[in-house]
Amino acid sequence: MEIASTIAQMREIRRRLPEPVGFVPTMGYLHEGHISLVQQARTECKSVVASIFVNPTQFGPNEDFTSYPRNTEKDLSLLEGENTDAVFMPQPEDMYPEGATSWVDVEGITEPLEGASRPGHFRGVTTVVAKLFNITEPTKAYFGQKDAQQVLVIQKMAKDLDMNLDVIVCPTVRESDGLAMSSRNVYLSPEERQSSLVLIKSLNLAQWLWDDGESGADKIRQEMISLIEKEPAAQIDYVSIADTGTLQELDVIGDSALISMAVRIGKTRLIDNIILGGSS
Ligand code: AMP
């Protein structure tokens, strides 16, 4: 496994990699969710490149950029175990040199949900992902359904800007009790870890109501909110039932809907989602 710490090194390695090249961008502190993306890339591509970069521009001023968990040694050994061909680990000053003033900004679908709660977040995500695509020139890039809005935003960016690659979406990997895997789960105390199950419980409730014939989005939203409010450690940021393409809130659920949420458990902000009437 080759490790590139500069853009020039990554470009040099890329030139030698057999096509097709699969790319998995991450912020590190890898878990089975990330690894599932690498495994999917491994089955579909001749070469697999992963990146580890905690991207400062996607964090707000009061968010957890400096405290974001890091364990490069373990990450590299996990990636090596999956036969990853190359890992790109740039420094922030190489990705954002002094004087850089260009940004990639996707309008519209970046506005609700995560975009409303985290101003500037998606501009940071799209800018770094566009740069990573330019550097690694992947044939296919792999993203997790766990970050449902991010997937839509990246797909829109790739389409709108004629990026020459396929964006592949992989299912959410969960702990055995249903909590979606996330690097941020490490922040949870044992009590908070128990409380965090309220996310999957409320998503399961939505699924159950829908399966039982309920199509009123307000009714399902309210039932979910009531359940979450029973958990004292939980504070709702948003609970959304939206169109899977436009992310506009629905009154009535037709064929499908994205049910998504952000909930704070203590100081830890967790997100999760399912798609009703589709795969998740
Ligand atoms: P991150 O390191 O959090 O930026 O995530 C890197 C990639 O892994 C993103 O495409 C995420 O959507 C994906 N990912 C994170 N957690 C999971 C999970 N539990 N299941 C599947 N994919 C995930």
Side-chain angles (χ1 to χ4, degrees):
M1 187 170 81
E2 297 194 76
I3 296 171
S5 46
T6 68
I7 294 169
Q9 281 168 356
M10 187 61 237
R11 286 196 196 284
E12 190 278 319
I13 293 167
R14 172 64 182 90
R15 276 195 289 274
R16 291 186 275 109
L17 290 175
E19 308 273 348
V21 173
F23 176 50
V24 181
T26 82
M27 298 206 298
Y29 211 74
L30 303 183
H31 50 68
E32 284 170 46
H34 299 110
I35 296 305
S36 74
L37 271 51
V38 173
Q39 288 170 343
Q40 177 92 17
R42 191 72 277 170
T43 63
E44 295 181 1
C45 301
K46 269 249 166 62
S47 311
V48 176
V49 178
S51 64
I52 299 174
F53 181 59
V54 184
N55 174 35
T57 64
Q58 71 188 69
F59 289 80
N62 300 317
E63 293 183 358
D64 56 345
F65 172 66
T66 46
S67 58
Y68 195 81
R70 291 159 167 91
N71 189 345
T72 309
E73 215 173 299
K74 184 176 169 209
D75 290 348
L76 292 176
S77 104
L78 285 171
L79 291 170
E80 180 122 56
E82 301 300 328
N83 293 320
T84 308
D85 296 284
V87 183
F88 182 42
M89 295 197 306
Q91 294 303 312
E93 51 276 22
D94 290 334
M95 293 297 274
Y96 299 106
E98 230 178 274
T101 57
S102 301
W103 297 93
V104 177
D105 208 346
V106 174
E107 296 179 356
I109 53 164
T110 53
E111 282 160 24
L113 308 177
E114 290 298 290
S117 293
R118 304 182 69 189
H121 169 68
F122 283 119
R123 185 176 87 146
V125 170
T126 45
T127 300
V128 81
V129 171
K131 286 168 69 71
L132 292 168
F133 285 175
N134 283 337
I135 296 162
T136 60
E137 297 181 63
T139 321
K140 296 184 177 196
Y142 295 81
F143 293 86
Q145 177 61 28
K146 159 85 185 348
D147 298 273
Q149 188 176 14
Q150 172 171 279
V151 160
L152 290 175
V153 171
I154 301 288
Q155 284 172 329
K156 184 107 180 28
M157 171 184 78
K159 179 168 181 279
D160 289 353
L161 299 181
D162 306 302
M163 293 179 170
N164 190 21
L165 54 89
D166 293 330
V167 174
I168 310 291
V169 187
C170 304
T172 301
V173 177
R174 299 178 179 283
E175 302 287 355
S176 54
D177 60 7
L179 177 67
M181 289 194 182
S182 164
S183 306
R184 290 189 169 100
N185 292 351
V186 71
Y187 297 146
L188 301 169
S189 69
E191 298 75 38
E192 290 171 340
R193 175 66 183 75
Q194 271 311 109
S195 309
S196 70
L197 293 177
V198 76
L199 279 87
I200 187 64
K201 282 182 190 159
S202 66
L203 290 170
N204 286 339
L205 173 62
Q207 179 77 59
W208 185 85
L209 289 166
W210 160 258
D211 289 344
D212 201 42
E214 181 61 61
S215 63
D218 260 347
K219 163 84 178 153
I220 297 181
R221 238 184 253 110
Q222 277 317 316
E223 293 276 345
M224 292 175 73
I225 289 169
S226 304
L227 189 148
I228 298 166
E229 284 177 345
K230 290 202 186 95
E231 172 51 62
Q235 208 196 338
I236 296 174
D237 193 342
Y238 63 81
V239 171
S240 160
I241 301 184
D243 181 275
T244 54
T246 65
L247 298 185
Q248 292 307 300
E249 290 299 308
L250 296 171
D251 293 328
V252 176
I253 304 173
D255 293 339
S256 66
L258 174 69
I259 313 242
S260 67
M261 55 172 48
V263 175
R264 260 171 231 284
I265 303 292
K267 287 197 168 73
T268 306
R269 185 175 182 278
L270 301 176
I271 60 171
D272 201 350
N273 70 86
I274 56 168
I275 294 176
L276 294 183
S279 60
S280 56

